[in-house]
Amino acid sequence: MADSNFIDYVKILCRSGKGGAGSRHFYRAKYVPKGGPDGGDGGRGGHIILRGNKNMWTLLPLKYRRHIFAGNGQSGSGGRSFGKDGDDVVIDVPCGTVVFDAETGEYLTEVKYDGEEVNLLRGGRGGLGNWHFKSATNRTPRYAQPGEPAIEKSIILELKLLADVGLVGFPNAGKSTLVSAISAARPKIADYPFTTMEPQLGIVSYRDNRSFVMADIPGIIEGASEGKGLGLRFLRHIERNAVLLFMVPADADDIVEQYNILKHELEQFNPQLADKPRLLAISKADMLDDELMTEIEKTLPEDVRHIFISAVTGYHLTELKDMLWGEITDESNRLATPDIIHRPLDGHHRVREEDEFIFEYEPTPEEEEQEDEDLQSINPDEWGADFDWDEDVDYEDNPE
């Protein structure tokens, strides 16, 4: 995968901007000996925002942009002048991107639609200037509120392709051949295992100018949940599909056994996949005659609809499209849904080379200087070393 442009899993370090410190300034003017406090508020820190972009199909740009930091808010100044807000950072991601906490594996959020914006990390609020704290008993407050600190988090972005039908099968089951036969996609086809090394999407034309999207993922083998072959890394791309099409070649030693192995590996990856509608396609049916098909049908499981197909000769491909379209348009099967259950990242779902990536970052002299200024704005007798922000209080209306 090192030479591929298709990147569907990346780990990055994000940090929102910290709020600027409030000012401790006092009004100075000729003939105004006691002008009083007029320190302005600090600016808000910048947000980290994710935005869906339908023109993106990979997370490749983020693989070379590991550190994403929003701008810090500037400190307030005299004359009740507010500091400038920090610059927000908007990260464009493909539609269908899911976000996890890199440390715990906890699901955080997802971006499903084009133009949808998700505020991933909120910037720190700016501190209040000393003019907020003047009162009848405290005419010259010589302290101001520090800005709220930044939020830093390592996150994992995982892309799950949006498709209607997902193909599941062992290597060389004929998945790529089927996609190339019924769509304009041209995946690599060869007679050795794991020819397909990354997911492929094909748009399948149907009657009356209708169409649906089919996703071809690399083959699965027994023990994939334990890391054999390519493991289960690419199964994330069929979690959103409305229908799963299991493909087993007609020359398999035991068709039912292969089907059960595939179903078991899917359940190991995400138990929710066991409840998805599925069809069973016996590929390479041009090798069989009617008598053999009848004998094979007697052994197939009764809980799944099946069809014999041949992508080379076109046998039953129209009937296969009809079956898939019927499942896709069934309202009970549509999974363009916000209620998909995203399993947390664990050993089955993580990519080792990304998890082992170490972030190295040294603060700039300007950042260290700004931090010193923020600390100097604190009056330990009034606020303590760390001011406890209360999310339910509007400090501008209730500064005390």
Side-chain angles (χ1 to χ4, degrees), residues 26-89:
F26 289 89
Y27 182 69
R28 297 286 188 273
K30 193 174 183 181
Y31 308 121
V32 185
K34 297 181 180 179
D38 70 342
D41 301 346
R44 170 186 63 81
H47 302 313
I48 300 291
I49 300 171
L50 298 180
R51 180 173 61 194
N53 187 338
K54 66 180 180 181
N55 297 318
M56 294 182 65
W57 61 279
T58 175
L59 296 173
L60 179 65
L62 294 176
K63 191 173 181 66
Y64 303 101
R65 188 186 175 194
R66 296 291 192 168
H67 302 95
I68 300 180
F69 299 153
N72 294 326
Q74 294 183 0
S75 300
S77 57
R80 298 188 183 182
S81 297
F82 290 4
K84 180 183 177 182
D85 291 343
D87 294 331
D88 297 335
V89 175

Coordinates of all heavy atoms in Angstrom, one line a residue, residues 26-89:
F26 N -5.0 50.3 32.4 CA -5.8 51.3 33.1 C -5.8 52.6 32.1 O -4.8 52.8 31.5 CB -5.2 51.7 34.4 CG -5.4 50.6 35.5 CD1 -4.5 49.6 35.6 CD2 -6.5 50.7 36.3 CE1 -4.8 48.6 36.6 CE2 -6.8 49.7 37.2 CZ -5.9 48.7 37.4
Y27 N -6.9 53.3 32.1 CA -7.0 54.4 31.2 C -6.1 55.5 31.6 O -5.9 55.9 32.8 CB -8.5 54.9 31.3 CG -8.7 56.1 30.4 CD1 -8.7 55.9 29.0 CD2 -9.0 57.3 30.9 CE1 -8.9 56.9 28.1 CE2 -9.2 58.4 30.0 CZ -9.2 58.2 28.6 OH -9.4 59.3 27.8
R28 N -5.4 56.0 30.6 CA -4.4 57.1 30.9 C -4.7 58.3 29.9 O -4.8 58.1 28.7 CB -3.0 56.6 30.6 CG -2.5 55.5 31.5 CD -2.2 56.1 32.9 NE -1.6 55.0 33.7 CZ -2.2 54.2 34.5 NH1 -3.5 54.2 34.5 NH2 -1.6 53.3 35.2
A29 N -5.0 59.5 30.5 CA -5.2 60.6 29.7 C -5.0 61.9 30.5 O -5.0 61.9 31.7 CB -6.7 60.6 29.2
K30 N -4.7 62.9 29.8 CA -4.4 64.2 30.5 C -5.7 64.7 31.2 O -6.8 64.6 30.6 CB -4.0 65.3 29.4 CG -3.4 66.5 30.0 CD -2.8 67.4 28.9 CE -2.2 68.7 29.6 NZ -1.6 69.6 28.5
Y31 N -5.5 65.2 32.4 CA -6.6 65.7 33.2 C -7.6 64.6 33.7 O -8.6 64.9 34.1 CB -7.4 66.8 32.5 CG -6.5 67.9 32.0 CD1 -6.5 68.2 30.6 CD2 -5.7 68.6 32.9 CE1 -5.7 69.2 30.2 CE2 -4.9 69.6 32.4 CZ -4.9 70.0 31.0 OH -4.1 71.0 30.6
V32 N -7.2 63.3 33.5 CA -8.0 62.2 34.0 C -7.1 61.4 34.9 O -6.5 60.4 34.4 CB -8.6 61.3 32.8 CG1 -9.5 60.3 33.4 CG2 -9.3 62.2 31.8
P33 N -6.9 61.8 36.1 CA -5.9 61.1 37.0 C -6.3 59.7 37.4 O -5.5 58.9 37.6 CB -5.9 62.0 38.2 CG -7.2 62.7 38.2 CD -7.6 62.9 36.8
K34 N -7.6 59.4 37.4 CA -8.1 58.1 37.8 C -9.1 57.6 36.8 O -10.3 57.5 37.0 CB -8.7 58.1 39.2 CG -7.7 58.5 40.3 CD -8.4 58.5 41.6 CE -7.4 59.0 42.7 NZ -8.1 59.0 44.1
G35 N -8.5 57.2 35.6 CA -9.3 56.8 34.5 C -10.0 55.4 34.7 O -11.0 55.2 34.2
G36 N -9.4 54.6 35.6 CA -10.0 53.3 35.9 C -9.6 52.2 34.9 O -8.9 52.5 33.9
P37 N -10.0 51.0 35.2 CA -9.6 49.9 34.4 C -10.3 49.9 33.0 O -11.5 50.2 32.9 CB -10.0 48.7 35.2 CG -11.2 49.2 36.0 CD -10.8 50.6 36.4
D38 N -9.6 49.6 31.9 CA -10.2 49.5 30.6 C -9.6 48.5 29.8 O -9.5 48.6 28.6 CB -10.2 50.9 29.9 CG -8.8 51.3 29.5 OD1 -7.8 50.7 30.0 OD2 -8.6 52.1 28.6
G39 N -9.1 47.4 30.4 CA -8.5 46.3 29.7 C -9.5 45.5 28.9 O -10.5 45.1 29.5
G40 N -9.2 45.2 27.7 CA -10.1 44.5 26.8 C -10.0 43.0 27.0 O -9.1 42.5 27.6
D41 N -10.9 42.3 26.4 CA -11.0 40.8 26.5 C -10.0 40.2 25.4 O -9.8 40.8 24.4 CB -12.4 40.3 26.2 CG -13.4 40.9 27.2 OD1 -13.0 41.4 28.2 OD2 -14.6 40.7 26.9
G42 N -9.6 39.0 25.7 CA -8.7 38.3 24.8 C -9.6 37.7 23.7 O -10.8 37.4 23.8
G43 N -9.0 37.4 22.6 CA -9.7 36.7 21.4 C -9.9 35.3 21.6 O -9.1 34.6 22.3
R44 N -10.9 34.7 21.0 CA -11.1 33.3 21.0 C -10.1 32.5 20.2 O -9.6 33.0 19.1 CB -12.5 33.0 20.4 CG -12.8 31.5 20.2 CD -14.1 31.3 19.4 NE -14.2 31.9 18.1 CZ -13.6 31.3 17.0 NH1 -13.0 30.2 17.1 NH2 -13.7 31.9 15.8
G45 N -9.7 31.3 20.7 CA -8.8 30.5 19.9 C -9.5 29.9 18.7 O -10.7 29.7 18.7
G46 N -8.8 29.5 17.7 CA -9.3 28.9 16.5 C -9.9 27.5 16.7 O -9.3 26.7 17.6
H47 N -10.9 27.1 16.0 CA -11.5 25.8 16.0 C -10.8 24.9 15.0 O -10.2 25.4 14.0 CB -13.0 25.8 15.7 CG -13.8 26.7 16.6 ND1 -13.7 26.7 18.0 CD2 -14.8 27.6 16.3 CE1 -14.5 27.5 18.5 NE2 -15.2 28.1 17.5
I48 N -10.9 23.6 15.2 CA -10.5 22.6 14.2 C -11.8 22.0 13.7 O -12.6 21.4 14.4 CB -9.7 21.4 14.8 CG1 -8.4 22.0 15.4 CG2 -9.4 20.4 13.8 CD1 -7.4 22.5 14.4
I49 N -12.1 22.2 12.4 CA -13.3 21.9 11.8 C -13.1 20.9 10.7 O -12.2 21.1 9.8 CB -14.0 23.1 11.2 CG1 -14.3 24.1 12.4 CG2 -15.3 22.8 10.5 CD1 -14.8 25.5 11.9
L50 N -13.9 19.8 10.6 CA -13.9 18.9 9.5 C -15.1 19.2 8.6 O -16.2 19.5 9.0 CB -14.1 17.4 10.0 CG -13.1 16.9 11.0 CD1 -13.4 15.5 11.4 CD2 -11.7 16.9 10.3
R51 N -14.8 19.2 7.3 CA -15.8 19.5 6.3 C -15.8 18.4 5.2 O -14.8 18.1 4.6 CB -15.5 20.9 5.6 CG -16.5 21.3 4.6 CD -16.2 22.7 4.1 NE -14.9 22.9 3.5 CZ -14.3 24.0 3.3 NH1 -14.9 25.2 3.6 NH2 -13.1 24.1 2.8
G52 N -17.0 17.9 4.9 CA -17.1 16.9 3.8 C -16.9 17.5 2.5 O -17.4 18.6 2.2
N53 N -16.2 16.8 1.6 CA -15.9 17.2 0.3 C -16.2 16.1 -0.7 O -15.4 15.1 -0.7 CB -14.5 17.7 0.2 CG -14.1 18.4 -1.2 OD1 -14.8 18.1 -2.2 ND2 -13.1 19.2 -1.2
K54 N -17.2 16.2 -1.5 CA -17.6 15.1 -2.4 C -16.5 14.9 -3.5 O -16.6 13.8 -4.2 CB -18.9 15.4 -3.1 CG -18.9 16.6 -4.0 CD -20.3 16.8 -4.6 CE -20.3 18.1 -5.5 NZ -21.7 18.3 -6.1
N55 N -15.6 15.8 -3.7 CA -14.6 15.7 -4.8 C -13.4 14.9 -4.3 O -12.4 14.7 -5.0 CB -14.2 17.1 -5.3 CG -15.3 17.8 -6.0 OD1 -16.1 17.2 -6.7 ND2 -15.5 19.1 -5.7
M56 N -13.3 14.6 -3.0 CA -12.2 13.8 -2.5 C -12.6 12.4 -2.3 O -13.7 12.0 -2.0 CB -11.8 14.4 -1.1 CG -11.2 15.8 -1.1 SD -10.7 16.3 0.5 CE -9.3 15.2 0.9
W57 N -11.6 11.5 -2.6 CA -11.9 10.0 -2.5 C -10.8 9.3 -1.6 O -10.9 8.1 -1.5 CB -11.9 9.4 -3.9 CG -10.6 9.6 -4.6 CD1 -10.1 10.7 -5.3 CD2 -9.6 8.6 -4.7 NE1 -8.9 10.4 -5.8 CE2 -8.5 9.2 -5.5 CE3 -9.4 7.3 -4.3 CZ2 -7.3 8.5 -5.8 CZ3 -8.2 6.6 -4.6 CH2 -7.2 7.2 -5.3
T58 N -9.9 10.1 -1.1 CA -8.8 9.5 -0.3 C -8.4 10.4 0.8 O -8.6 11.7 0.7 CB -7.6 9.1 -1.2 OG1 -6.5 8.6 -0.4 CG2 -7.2 10.3 -2.0
L59 N -7.7 9.9 1.8 CA -7.2 10.7 2.9 C -5.7 11.0 2.6 O -5.0 11.4 3.6 CB -7.3 10.0 4.2 CG -8.8 9.8 4.7 CD1 -8.8 8.9 5.9 CD2 -9.5 11.1 5.0
L60 N -5.2 10.9 1.4 CA -3.8 11.0 1.1 C -3.3 12.4 1.5 O -2.2 12.5 2.1 CB -3.6 10.8 -0.4 CG -2.2 11.0 -0.9 CD1 -1.3 9.9 -0.3 CD2 -2.1 11.0 -2.5
P61 N -4.0 13.6 1.3 CA -3.4 14.8 1.7 C -3.0 14.9 3.2 O -2.1 15.6 3.6 CB -4.5 15.8 1.4 CG -5.3 15.2 0.3 CD -5.3 13.7 0.6
L62 N -3.8 14.2 4.0 CA -3.5 14.2 5.5 C -2.4 13.3 5.9 O -1.8 13.5 7.0 CB -4.8 13.8 6.2 CG -6.0 14.8 6.1 CD1 -7.2 14.3 6.8 CD2 -5.6 16.2 6.6
K63 N -2.0 12.4 5.0 CA -0.9 11.6 5.4 C 0.4 12.3 5.4 O 1.4 12.0 6.1 CB -0.7 10.4 4.4 CG 0.2 9.3 4.8 CD 0.2 8.2 3.8 CE 1.1 7.0 4.2 NZ 0.7 6.4 5.5
Y64 N 0.5 13.5 4.7 CA 1.7 14.3 4.7 C 1.4 15.7 5.4 O 2.1 16.6 5.2 CB 2.1 14.6 3.3 CG 2.3 13.3 2.5 CD1 1.4 12.8 1.6 CD2 3.5 12.6 2.7 CE1 1.6 11.6 0.9 CE2 3.7 11.4 2.0 CZ 2.8 10.9 1.2 OH 3.0 9.7 0.5
R65 N 0.4 15.7 6.3 CA 0.1 16.8 7.1 C -0.3 16.4 8.5 O -1.5 16.4 8.9 CB -1.1 17.6 6.4 CG -1.4 19.0 7.0 CD -2.6 19.6 6.4 NE -3.0 20.8 7.1 CZ -4.2 21.4 6.9 NH1 -5.1 20.8 6.1 NH2 -4.5 22.5 7.5
R66 N 0.7 15.9 9.2 CA 0.4 15.2 10.5 C 0.1 16.1 11.6 O -0.6 15.7 12.6 CB 1.7 14.4 10.9 CG 2.0 13.3 9.9 CD 1.0 12.2 9.9 NE 1.5 11.0 9.2 CZ 0.9 9.8 9.2 NH1 -0.2 9.6 9.9 NH2 1.4 8.8 8.5
H67 N 0.5 17.4 11.6 CA 0.2 18.3 12.6 C -0.7 19.4 12.1 O -0.4 20.1 11.2 CB 1.5 19.0 13.2 CG 2.5 18.0 13.7 ND1 3.6 17.5 12.9 CD2 2.7 17.4 14.9 CE1 4.3 16.7 13.6 NE2 3.8 16.6 14.8
I68 N -1.8 19.5 12.7 CA -2.8 20.5 12.3 C -3.2 21.4 13.6 O -3.8 20.9 14.5 CB -4.1 19.9 11.7 CG1 -3.7 19.1 10.5 CG2 -5.1 21.0 11.4 CD1 -4.8 18.4 9.8
F69 N -2.7 22.6 13.6 CA -2.9 23.5 14.7 C -3.6 24.7 14.3 O -3.3 25.4 13.3 CB -1.5 23.9 15.3 CG -0.7 22.8 15.8 CD1 0.7 22.9 15.8 CD2 -1.3 21.6 16.2 CE1 1.5 21.8 16.3 CE2 -0.5 20.5 16.7 CZ 0.9 20.7 16.7
A70 N -4.6 25.1 15.1 CA -5.4 26.3 14.8 C -4.7 27.5 15.5 O -3.8 27.3 16.3 CB -6.8 26.2 15.4
G71 N -5.0 28.7 15.1 CA -4.4 29.9 15.6 C -4.8 30.3 17.0 O -6.0 30.0 17.4
N72 N -3.9 30.8 17.8 CA -4.2 31.3 19.1 C -4.9 32.6 19.1 O -4.6 33.5 18.2 CB -3.0 31.3 20.0 CG -2.4 30.0 20.2 OD1 -3.1 29.0 20.3 ND2 -1.1 29.9 20.3
G73 N -5.8 32.9 20.1 CA -6.4 34.2 20.2 C -5.4 35.2 20.8 O -4.5 34.9 21.6
Q74 N -5.5 36.4 20.3 CA -4.5 37.5 20.8 C -5.1 38.1 22.1 O -6.3 38.0 22.4 CB -4.4 38.5 19.7 CG -3.7 38.1 18.5 CD -3.5 39.2 17.5 OE1 -3.8 40.3 17.7 NE2 -2.9 38.8 16.3
S75 N -4.1 38.6 22.9 CA -4.5 39.2 24.1 C -5.2 40.5 23.9 O -5.1 41.2 22.9 CB -3.2 39.5 25.0 OG -2.5 38.3 25.2
G76 N -6.1 40.9 24.9 CA -6.8 42.2 24.8 C -5.8 43.3 25.1 O -4.6 43.1 25.4
S77 N -6.3 44.6 24.9 CA -5.4 45.7 25.1 C -6.3 46.9 25.7 O -7.5 46.7 26.0 CB -4.8 46.2 23.8 OG -5.8 46.4 22.8
G78 N -5.6 48.0 25.9 CA -6.3 49.1 26.5 C -7.5 49.7 25.6 O -7.6 49.3 24.5
G79 N -8.3 50.5 26.3 CA -9.5 51.0 25.6 C -10.5 50.0 25.3 O -11.3 50.2 24.4
R80 N -10.5 49.0 26.1 CA -11.5 47.9 26.0 C -11.4 47.3 24.6 O -12.4 46.8 24.0 CB -12.9 48.3 26.3 CG -13.1 48.8 27.7 CD -14.6 49.1 28.0 NE -14.8 49.6 29.3 CZ -16.0 49.9 29.8 NH1 -17.1 49.7 29.1 NH2 -16.1 50.4 31.1
S81 N -10.2 47.2 24.1 CA -10.0 46.6 22.7 C -9.9 45.1 22.8 O -9.1 44.6 23.6 CB -8.8 47.2 22.1 OG -8.9 48.6 21.9
F82 N -10.7 44.4 22.1 CA -10.7 43.0 22.1 C -9.5 42.5 21.3 O -9.2 43.1 20.3 CB -12.0 42.4 21.6 CG -13.2 42.6 22.5 CD1 -13.1 43.3 23.6 CD2 -14.4 42.0 22.2 CE1 -14.2 43.5 24.5 CE2 -15.5 42.2 23.0 CZ -15.4 43.0 24.1
G83 N -9.0 41.4 21.7 CA -7.9 40.7 20.9 C -8.5 40.0 19.7 O -9.7 39.6 19.7
K84 N -7.7 39.8 18.7 CA -8.2 39.1 17.5 C -8.4 37.7 17.8 O -7.6 37.0 18.5 CB -7.1 39.3 16.4 CG -7.5 38.7 15.1 CD -6.4 38.9 14.1 CE -6.7 38.1 12.8 NZ -5.6 38.2 11.8
D85 N -9.5 37.1 17.2 CA -9.7 35.7 17.3 C -8.7 34.9 16.5 O -8.2 35.4 15.5 CB -11.1 35.3 16.8 CG -12.2 35.8 17.7 OD1 -11.9 36.2 18.8 OD2 -13.4 35.9 17.2
G86 N -8.3 33.7 17.0 CA -7.4 32.9 16.3 C -8.1 32.3 15.0 O -9.3 32.2 14.9
D87 N -7.3 32.0 14.0 CA -7.7 31.5 12.8 C -8.2 30.0 12.9 O -7.5 29.2 13.5 CB -6.7 31.5 11.7 CG -6.3 32.9 11.3 OD1 -7.1 33.8 11.5 OD2 -5.1 33.2 11.0
D88 N -9.4 29.8 12.4 CA -9.9 28.4 12.4 C -9.2 27.6 11.3 O -8.7 28.2 10.3 CB -11.4 28.4 12.1 CG -12.3 29.1 13.2 OD1 -11.8 29.1 14.3 OD2 -13.4 29.5 12.9
V89 N -9.1 26.3 11.5 CA -8.6 25.4 10.5 C -9.7 24.5 10.0 O -10.2 23.8 10.8 CB -7.4 24.6 11.0 CG1 -6.9 23.6 10.0 CG2 -6.2 25.6 11.4

